[in-house]
Amino acid sequence: MVRTVMVTGATSGIGEATARAFAGEGANLIITGRRWDRLKALKKELEADHGVEVLALAFDIRDRKQCESAVDSISGDLATVDVLVNNAGLAAGLDHFEEGEVNDWEMMIDTNVKGLLYITRRIVPRMVAAGGGHVVNIGSIAGTQPYEKGAVYCASKHAVHALSQGMRIDLLGKGVKVTEIRPGMVETEFSLVRFHGDERRAGGVYDGVTPLTGEDVAEAVLWAIMQPPHVNIDEIVLTPLAQANAYYTFRQKEQPDAK
């Protein structure tokens, strides 16, 4: 099993579930996010429950200097990162392009694309120097299937898809694996963030559907990591049974009360 795993965006959802999954396998962890209180609580829990070492780093992944400073502060055995899970990401707004908020666009691009680049650029040279490692990028089915009112979010995930493929090519022969995980509907804080805290709109996204959970995606990440050294899982697409792709979702209507 890997010794050290770094998970970005570990304060909730897929990132938190992934940290828990790896801790359960005995891996030491570096967990990052902006919410220090959540990171601190997760660190305490995982160390107590699994006896692993957990380093919590609170910073804004959109800020290049903060990213570099945080990564450069990692020392000791944790400095050799075996697995990097680029999970930090978000959607902001759901509007037709001509009505989109530029601030939302910048937030998505800065987080989903630039933040991923900042962290990965700092970690991958360490993997190359160590002779191996594994980068897992959490993408989305939106990375190949743009949908109405999601142009910029989809563009950011298209970038993750292209970057994953490009990294795979550039890292050939250097012992570093690259995997992209592309989920469909996952019930996390994703929609709550997209709708700027509007719980009614966020909850409506999953009406009539049993969505994926963060744990479902974490299991896919863990499976990809657990493959033999000669096997690279290039990408995994996973969706709820009720969702065929970004365009077609079957929603179960509530049955009327019996008279």
Side-chain angles (χ1 to χ4, degrees):
M1 181 58 194
V2 296
R3 292 166 298 179
T4 303
V5 179
M6 183 174 187
V7 182
T8 67
T11 56
S12 65
I14 295 170
E16 181 180 348
T18 299
R20 292 181 190 279
F22 276 108
E25 294 293 328
N28 295 322
L29 289 157
I30 303 166
I31 54 176
T32 83
R34 289 183 295 166
R35 294 174 285 191
W36 172 243
D37 56 337
R38 292 196 181 190
L39 287 175
K40 184 169 61 173
L42 183 60
K43 167 185 166 67
K44 182 178 180 180
E45 176 192 331
L46 297 181
E47 288 181 334
D49 290 351
H50 302 288
V52 298
E53 182 179 357
V54 181
L55 173 64
L57 298 173
F59 62 93
D60 189 339
I61 202 168
R62 297 173 295 179
D63 187 308
R64 177 181 170 185
K65 289 185 178 179
Q66 287 188 37
C67 289
E68 293 175 350
S69 178
V71 173
D72 290 348
S73 73
I74 304 169
S75 60
D77 292 340
L78 295 179
T80 302
V81 175
D82 300 297
V83 178
L84 168 62
V85 182
N86 281 312
N87 166 73
L90 53 81
L94 189 67
D95 304 291
H96 285 119
F97 183 84
E98 74 279 9
E99 299 170 340
E101 291 287 341
V102 174
N103 287 339
D104 286 345
W105 295 354
E106 289 180 340
M107 187 185 303
M108 288 185 281
I109 293 168
D110 288 348
T111 305
N112 300 353
V113 183
K114 294 167 70 175
L116 182 151
L117 289 172
Y118 296 155
I119 293 294
T120 310
R121 176 62 180 84
R122 218 67 177 177
I123 292 294
V124 163
R126 299 184 183 198
M127 292 180 171
V128 172
H134 200 147
V135 177
V136 179
N137 296 324
I138 304 298
S140 167
I141 58 172
T144 55
Q145 301 168 8
Y147 53 78
E148 185 181 5
K149 298 184 178 181
V152 177
Y153 171 72
C154 293
S156 74
K157 288 303 185 178
H158 272 64
V160 173
H161 184 51
L163 286 168
S164 300
Q165 294 181 325
M167 288 178 196
R168 178 82 173 93
I169 295 166
D170 288 345
L171 291 168
L172 276 176
K174 298 175 182 176
V176 180
K177 297 183 179 185
V178 180
T179 298
E180 183 189 12
I181 309 289
R182 300 192 0 245
M185 275 187 194
V186 187
E187 188 168 12
T188 63
E189 294 180 358
F190 177 88
S191 292
L192 191 63
V193 172
R194 161 166 266 174
F195 295 123
H196 304 292
D198 187 330
E199 295 183 3
R200 182 189 61 81
R201 290 188 70 190
V205 171
Y206 311 108
D207 282 350
V209 176
T210 301
L212 299 173
T213 65
E215 288 75 17
D216 294 328
V217 181
E219 283 296 318
V221 174
L222 195 60
W223 179 80
I225 295 298
M226 298 290 281
Q227 298 307 303
H230 70 288
V231 176
N232 188 89
I233 304 300
D234 289 2
E235 61 183 76
I236 298 174
V237 179
L238 64 158
T239 59
L241 179 60
Q243 184 185 29
N245 52 36
Y247 318 113
Y248 294 99
T249 301
F250 175 77
R251 296 182 185 274
Q252 186 71 49
K253 295 181 180 179
E254 291 186 12
Q255 297 298 317
D257 294 335
K259 298 282 188 172

